[in-house]
Amino acid sequence: MRRSHRTHKVLPSQLLAILFLSLLSFDAFSADISREIRAGREDETIKFDGFLELSFSGIVNKMPIPGSDELIGTIGVGGNYRYKRWFWDVHAESYNQFQIGYNFYYGEDWSLDVMGAASEHGVNSELNTELKLFTEREAATFLGFRATGYDGPYILQFEALWDYSRLHSGSLTTGSIARTWLVRNWNFHTLFSARYESANTLDYQFGVDASEANEVYPEYQANAGLTFVTEFGVTYPVNEFIVLKSTARWWELPTAVLDSPFITNDSYATFSTSINFVY
Amino acid sequence: MTVNTVKRMIMAWFITVGLFLVSMPALANDPQAIEFEVSPKRCITLRKGQPCYAKVKFKWRSSEAVSVCVKKIDREDMKCWTSSVSGSLVLAQSLGDTTEYVLTDEEGEVLDTASISVLWSYRKKRTKRKRR
């Protein structure tokens, strides 16, 4: 009853899959700030610009989920293109895996966008081989806006999204700050994000309905809460087409989901390193 | 082919070879005989607008002793040599964009040039006009 906003019955194992998705956000909350600290700010004076990126990653994760693989290898495809003020963004490592939108203002210091985004997008079976049967998952479609500020080596970003697809009718509100350092041609960065998720959003990921509950996954309802991510990364351009990346992240999940049967701890770390081919 | 044609061809060959031999001493004194090169030829940054760091090796040699200087175009001399036939120099450089270096003589006349291109990995298109 309390998760009546769901349009279909979700099995506990599928819920676990969603949880994996929510934790498998190797870049921080906002794709753009994660991308911009590496690829840089777009040059809006160029009418059509962008890039495609093929990545081969090795990941060490300490997710607080029983059965999750600690060593993972992934192949990802991402890209970012803009035509005039319209943009299209697929970031293989980001929380919002797909974003499309329109930039309605850009200036020296600020850029404002309206956008649609897809977040949950299906189980990555490479994360946990037990989840290979659950590789299809209806994605929530979000609509919202984003403001990005630039001040020297700092990037600030605020993003507010609502579930337009009514899959869970939840919302996400994210604030991020990042800083970059250039040491010779090594690009170091740190990023801190705080994301507020509504009760519906978190419950969709961490809750268990009475109808779904069993001995392993008892009934549980999550409340709204804040997730914090701290990230350190380094990026090195080998040549025009090859980029090396390495990223370490520390996650603090909301205390509101601490008692979820899907997790054993509210904090965890991930470390990823990848070779990326950029075109 | 007539006999006259063959004679004209032989004469033309002798004239060409003769002119080449006459020009040899002049080439030896020609400033163009000086070779100047830099390495690497390209420097890679992650994105457009970043300064690119490179340890640049400058190398020159001449067929006769000369006094020359190496510098960035329109900048101060980085190093000068007096009455030398060759020279090399390694300097750490932070390049904002494609950079041209010149080898000049004592009077500041440019003897030769060499450049390093700055390229980047993300969004490879170059700006056609300045950001507003």
Side-chain angles (χ1 to χ4, degrees):
Chain A
M1 290 291 287
R2 57 189 167 77
R3 265 176 291 278
S4 57
H5 51 270
R6 288 181 190 160
T7 55
H8 62 281
K9 186 178 179 183
V10 182
L11 299 171
S13 49
Q14 288 177 304
L15 288 169
L16 185 59
I18 299 165
L19 182 65
F20 265 101
L21 286 174
S22 94
L23 300 182
L24 185 61
S25 304
F26 292 121
D27 267 8
F29 300 136
S30 175
D32 267 359
I33 194 167
S34 298
R35 176 166 50 72
E36 290 198 341
I37 53 176
R38 288 184 146 125
R41 186 182 182 184
E42 294 179 68
D43 184 347
E44 295 91 348
T45 61
I46 295 176
K47 188 175 174 184
F48 178 72
D49 199 9
F51 62 88
L52 272 179
E53 190 169 41
L54 176 66
S55 62
F56 297 85
S57 308
I59 301 159
V60 179
N61 82 84
K62 297 286 184 182
M63 292 183 181
I65 300 173
S68 65
D69 297 334
E70 286 200 358
L71 294 173
I72 305 156
T74 64
I75 298 174
V77 179
N80 164 240
Y81 279 95
R82 180 180 48 76
Y83 177 71
K84 293 185 177 176
R85 287 175 176 246
W86 296 94
F87 64 85
W88 170 90
D89 197 348
V90 178
H91 201 41
E93 302 169 322
S94 73
Y95 184 78
N96 297 333
Q97 280 76 22
F98 178 78
Q99 294 174 106
I100 188 167
Y102 183 80
N103 172 264
F104 64 90
Y105 172 79
Y106 73 86
E108 197 69 31
D109 302 322
W110 286 96
S111 180
L112 304 175
D113 307 314
V114 288
M115 56 183 278
S119 265
E120 302 94 356
H121 68 119
V123 176
N124 185 337
S125 56
E126 290 174 24
L127 241 194
N128 184 338
T129 50
E130 294 175 6
L131 296 175
K132 281 193 173 179
L133 292 175
F134 308 103
T135 54
E136 286 189 5
R137 173 71 202 176
E138 191 176 348
T141 304
F142 292 90
L143 283 180
F145 66 90
R146 180 173 62 200
T148 310
Y150 305 89
D151 184 12
Y154 293 95
I155 303 176
L156 299 164
Q157 192 165 86
F158 176 80
E159 184 179 272
L161 297 169
W162 293 268
D163 174 20
Y164 177 74
S165 60
R166 295 185 173 274
L167 192 64
H168 51 65
S169 299
S171 63
L172 307 169
T173 307
T174 309
S176 306
I177 182 168
R179 192 196 194 287
T180 58
W181 291 267
L182 183 64
V183 181
R184 299 195 170 179
N185 295 328
W186 293 85
N187 295 261
F188 294 88
H189 74 261
T190 183
L191 188 153
F192 178 77
S193 289
R195 184 178 70 209
Y196 175 82
E197 291 175 272
S198 68
N200 280 357
T201 307
L202 279 180
D203 192 40
Y204 191 68
Q205 299 169 75
F206 293 90
V208 180
D209 279 341
S211 60
E212 303 160 342
N214 58 32
E215 285 185 4
V216 180
Y217 301 105
E219 184 179 1
Y220 176 74
Q221 182 171 12
N223 292 317
L226 275 169
T227 299
F228 299 98
V229 177
T230 306
E231 170 182 322
F232 297 97
V234 60
T235 313
Y236 182 77
V238 176
N239 60 36
E240 261 189 289
F241 301 101
I242 298 177
V243 172
L244 302 179
K245 296 180 187 177
S246 208
T247 310
R249 288 196 188 92
W250 181 259
W251 292 75
E252 285 292 338
L253 298 175
T255 52
V257 301
L258 260 178
D259 295 326
S260 168
F262 298 134
I263 58 173
T264 56
N265 198 346
D266 64 338
S267 60
Y268 67 98
T270 61
F271 176 79
S272 68
T273 189
S274 63
I275 181 168
N276 303 266
F277 297 88
V278 183
Y279 300 97
Chain B
M1 188 178 292
T2 64
V3 175
N4 283 341
T5 306
V6 172
K7 280 181 180 175
R8 275 200 293 272
M9 287 177 65
I10 292 171
M11 191 173 291
W13 185 83
F14 273 109
I15 290 169
T16 305
V17 171
L19 286 173
F20 176 75
L21 292 175
V22 167
S23 68
M24 285 283 281
L27 271 176
N29 293 326
D30 191 335
Q32 297 300 320
I34 290 179
E35 291 178 4
F36 174 54
E37 59 185 46
V38 298
S39 63
K41 302 285 186 197
R42 307 192 316 166
C43 190
I44 308 294
T45 64
L46 192 61
R47 53 183 181 262
K48 181 167 59 179
Q50 279 189 316
C52 196
Y53 173 86
K55 276 191 174 175
V56 181
K57 183 172 186 181
F58 303 88
K59 195 175 171 184
W60 67 272
R61 66 187 178 90
S62 172
S63 53
E64 60 181 36
V66 288
S67 295
V68 294
C69 293
V70 167
K71 65 174 188 174
K72 268 186 194 174
I73 197 161
D74 299 328
R75 297 285 182 87
E76 295 295 311
D77 295 339
M78 297 190 299
K79 184 174 172 66
C80 294
W81 291 263
T82 305
S83 299
S84 303
V85 293
S86 67
S88 66
L89 168 69
V90 177
L91 279 181
Q93 297 281 286
S94 181
L95 310 172
D97 203 343
T98 294
T99 305
E100 193 166 15
Y101 295 93
V102 294
L103 187 73
T104 61
D105 64 14
E106 288 171 297
E107 284 75 42
E109 287 294 314
V110 175
L111 302 175
D112 203 356
T113 63
S115 64
I116 302 176
S117 300
V118 174
L119 306 170
W120 52 88
S121 302
Y122 286 111
R123 298 192 188 98
K124 298 178 177 66
K125 283 192 177 176
R126 290 178 178 269
T127 310
K128 289 177 181 171
R129 58 188 172 89
K130 287 187 177 178
R131 187 186 292 274
R132 288 190 302 195

